[in-house]
Amino acid sequence: MARGSGFAPPPLLVLLVLVVTRCAAAQNNCTCPTNRMTVCSPDGPGGRCQCRALGSRVVVDCSTLTSKCLLLKARMTAPKTGRTLVRPSEHAILDNDGLYDPECDHEGRFKARQCNQTSVCWCVNSVGVRRTDKGDQSLRCDEVVRTHHILIDLRHRQTDRAFNHSDLDTELRRLFHERYRLHPRFVAAVHYEEPTIQIELRQNASQKAPGDVDIGDAAYYFERDVKGESLFQGRRDLDVRVRGEPLQVEQTLIYYLDEKPPQFSMKRLTAGLIAVIAVVAVALVAGVVVLVITNRRKSGKYKKVEIKEMGELRNEPSL
Ligand SMILES: *[C@@H]1O[C@H](CO)[C@@H](O)[C@H](O)[C@H]1NC(C)=O
Ligand SMILES: *[C@@H]1O[C@H](CO)[C@@H](O)[C@H](O)[C@H]1NC(C)=O
Ligand SMILES: *[C@@H]1O[C@H](CO)[C@@H](O)[C@H](O)[C@H]1NC(C)=O
Ligand SMILES: *[C@@H]1O[C@H](CO)[C@@H](O)[C@H](O)[C@H]1NC(C)=O
């Protein structure tokens, strides 16, 4: 090349040097703020930082949340962290964390039918939770039934005084808007009766505009935050304060309600009965809370139960 010739460098070399410098600059700083389960490199158009989800290698939009399907897929490829199992009680049957390696469509959403590596298949809703019996490869799932209502049931630690409901409401709405980018109109209500807080998210298909964060994705990011497994890159852990008083969560249950009732053969669900199809119980054993920043326990244990209908508990993996 022209190196050492004493002449002005040819334009190509200048260009190369420019490109290299740009890449180096971008490299320092090429990460995905909304998804740490990614691999980023400045090989996007024009040398821009581009991030791909682990597992699927799908390019993700780091200005918003990543879909739960891609996140679960990424999780399947990540090495297991120091998670230990808890002893099942009669009410909560430990499962394998409900993890399976999901199939996602071109938008990163769950496909209606999911199968095990074996020939076991089942139908899921839009948050990836099983809503039918398991079948074989001949099982058909006509559509992804939308989860249009999510009820997050939190129990907070004892405080000297109950929180002011209206302040609590404001803080939780702010949290969902600012941290999870969920449009405030999808936070339908915040109920409070000490020590239980319920956050209701509602979003049906017709209300969801392109670019709107899905309530299922927001709830999943929230769930992982509460477990101390934040999906955000280098972001501070969840820290919710109501008038300066920290909100410390002891237990979380997440109920998913679909537009159509689930179809389990054993079911005695009568029409009109609430279609609670899955419950995620996040019981942080060591009293681990949303707020602990300094001493976060990696080993935060939690239990997960699945409720198909009132009172019926099954020991099969769910989400
Ligand atoms: C990334 O780089 C830009 C400027 O190049 C800077 O403003 C920004 O703070 C950097 N972000 C991080 C996370 O380092
Ligand atoms: C998938 O298959 C494995 C065995 O291959 C089984 O242990 C697991 O429970 C299955 N998962 C589901 C969701 O059926
Ligand atoms: C709760 O706080 C609001 C202002 O944020 C105040 O107007 C209201 O009176 C308070 N309620 C109680 C019961 O203290
Ligand atoms: C969507 O939600 C709105 C408000 O909750 C309701 O009025 C409307 O009927 C719903 N649409 C469908 C198709 O369920």
Side-chain angles (χ1 to χ4, degrees), residues 172-186:
L172 290 172
R173 284 173 193 272
R174 191 212 310 273
L175 175 76
F176 273 81
H177 188 207
E178 292 180 358
R179 192 170 173 95
Y180 309 116
R181 294 155 212 232
L182 184 67
H183 194 287
R185 72 173 179 278
F186 301 129

Side-chain angles (χ1 to χ4, degrees), residues 105-166:
D105 69 9
H106 63 282
E107 288 178 351
R109 302 284 155 202
F110 288 97
K111 286 191 177 170
R113 193 179 80 152
Q114 298 289 339
C115 299
N116 226 342
Q117 292 86 344
T118 60
S119 53
V120 182
C121 298
W122 60 92
C123 307
V124 298
N125 58 17
S126 60
V127 296
V129 172
R130 187 162 68 86
R131 47 168 281 116
T132 63
D133 291 327
K134 290 177 187 172
D136 58 20
Q137 298 270 349
S138 67
L139 178 75
R140 288 194 40 187
C141 307
D142 295 328
E143 50 164 355
V144 181
V145 174
R146 186 166 170 76
T147 299
H148 66 145
H149 183 184
I150 297 178
L151 181 66
I152 301 172
D153 198 300
L154 308 169
R155 200 177 64 211
H156 71 72
R157 269 193 171 178
Q158 198 164 7
T159 51
D160 293 342
R161 278 182 300 129
F163 290 108
N164 173 318
H165 187 169
S166 96

Side-chain angles (χ1 to χ4, degrees), residues 2-293:
R3 189 167 301 151
S5 69
F7 292 116
L12 182 64
L13 187 60
V14 174
L15 197 73
L16 266 174
V17 169
L18 267 178
V19 168
V20 168
T21 324
R22 244 183 100 178
C23 287
Q27 198 111 42
N28 289 335
N29 177 343
C30 179
T31 55
C32 188
T34 56
N35 184 354
R36 58 181 176 77
M37 313 281 277
T38 50
V39 175
C40 303
S41 60
D43 57 8
R48 269 202 301 275
C49 179
Q50 180 168 275
C51 300
R52 292 175 181 274
L54 290 175
S56 62
R57 306 284 302 149
V58 169
V59 174
V60 298
D61 177 357
C62 295
S63 69
T64 187
L65 304 189
T66 303
S67 69
K68 184 176 177 182
C69 191
L70 293 178
L71 291 169
L72 285 185
K73 213 168 173 55
R75 200 174 183 194
M76 292 307 288
T77 64
K80 291 263 176 292
T81 52
R83 175 118 21 93
T84 30
L85 307 180
V86 295
R87 201 176 334 108
S89 79
E90 72 229 70
H91 294 301
I93 298 156
L94 181 77
D95 70 19
N96 65 355
D97 200 29
L99 283 179
Y100 59 95
D101 188 5
E103 271 200 67
C104 312
D105 69 9
H106 63 282
E107 288 178 351
R109 302 284 155 202
F110 288 97
K111 286 191 177 170
R113 193 179 80 152
Q114 298 289 339
C115 299
N116 226 342
Q117 292 86 344
T118 60
S119 53
V120 182
C121 298
W122 60 92
C123 307
V124 298
N125 58 17
S126 60
V127 296
V129 172
R130 187 162 68 86
R131 47 168 281 116
T132 63
D133 291 327
K134 290 177 187 172
D136 58 20
Q137 298 270 349
S138 67
L139 178 75
R140 288 194 40 187
C141 307
D142 295 328
E143 50 164 355
V144 181
V145 174
R146 186 166 170 76
T147 299
H148 66 145
H149 183 184
I150 297 178
L151 181 66
I152 301 172
D153 198 300
L154 308 169
R155 200 177 64 211
H156 71 72
R157 269 193 171 178
Q158 198 164 7
T159 51
D160 293 342
R161 278 182 300 129
F163 290 108
N164 173 318
H165 187 169
S166 96
D167 294 340
L168 186 65
D169 183 291
T170 307
E171 286 309 320
L172 290 172
R173 284 173 193 272
R174 191 212 310 273
L175 175 76
F176 273 81
H177 188 207
E178 292 180 358
R179 192 170 173 95
Y180 309 116
R181 294 155 212 232
L182 184 67
H183 194 287
R185 72 173 179 278
F186 301 129
V187 181
V190 176
H191 309 281
Y192 180 46
E193 205 163 285
E194 193 194 10
T196 301
I197 303 166
Q198 292 179 314
I199 306 167
E200 276 192 90
L201 308 179
R202 285 180 190 267
Q203 183 186 59
N204 56 25
S206 56
Q207 293 170 304
K208 190 180 169 220
D212 273 340
V213 165
D214 192 278
I215 53 171
D217 297 338
Y220 186 61
Y221 270 76
F222 180 76
E223 178 191 331
R224 298 288 298 272
D225 268 340
V226 170
K227 288 178 185 169
E229 305 170 345
S230 177
L231 290 158
F232 293 107
Q233 180 82 50
R235 193 107 72 94
R236 285 173 60 223
D237 285 349
L238 194 58
D239 180 2
V240 180
R241 282 160 197 272
V242 182
R243 297 225 164 202
E245 176 85 19
L247 172 63
Q248 302 189 320
V249 176
E250 280 186 340
Q251 195 183 45
T252 307
L253 293 165
I254 302 176
Y255 299 79
Y256 301 104
L257 290 96
D258 294 351
E259 281 174 352
K260 294 179 183 171
Q263 299 166 329
F264 295 108
S265 56
M266 286 175 60
K267 193 170 42 73
R268 290 170 298 277
L269 273 183
T270 50
L273 188 64
I274 188 169
V276 174
I277 75 151
V279 178
V280 177
V282 188
L284 297 163
V285 168
V288 179
V289 287
V290 167
L291 247 208
V292 180
I293 294 165

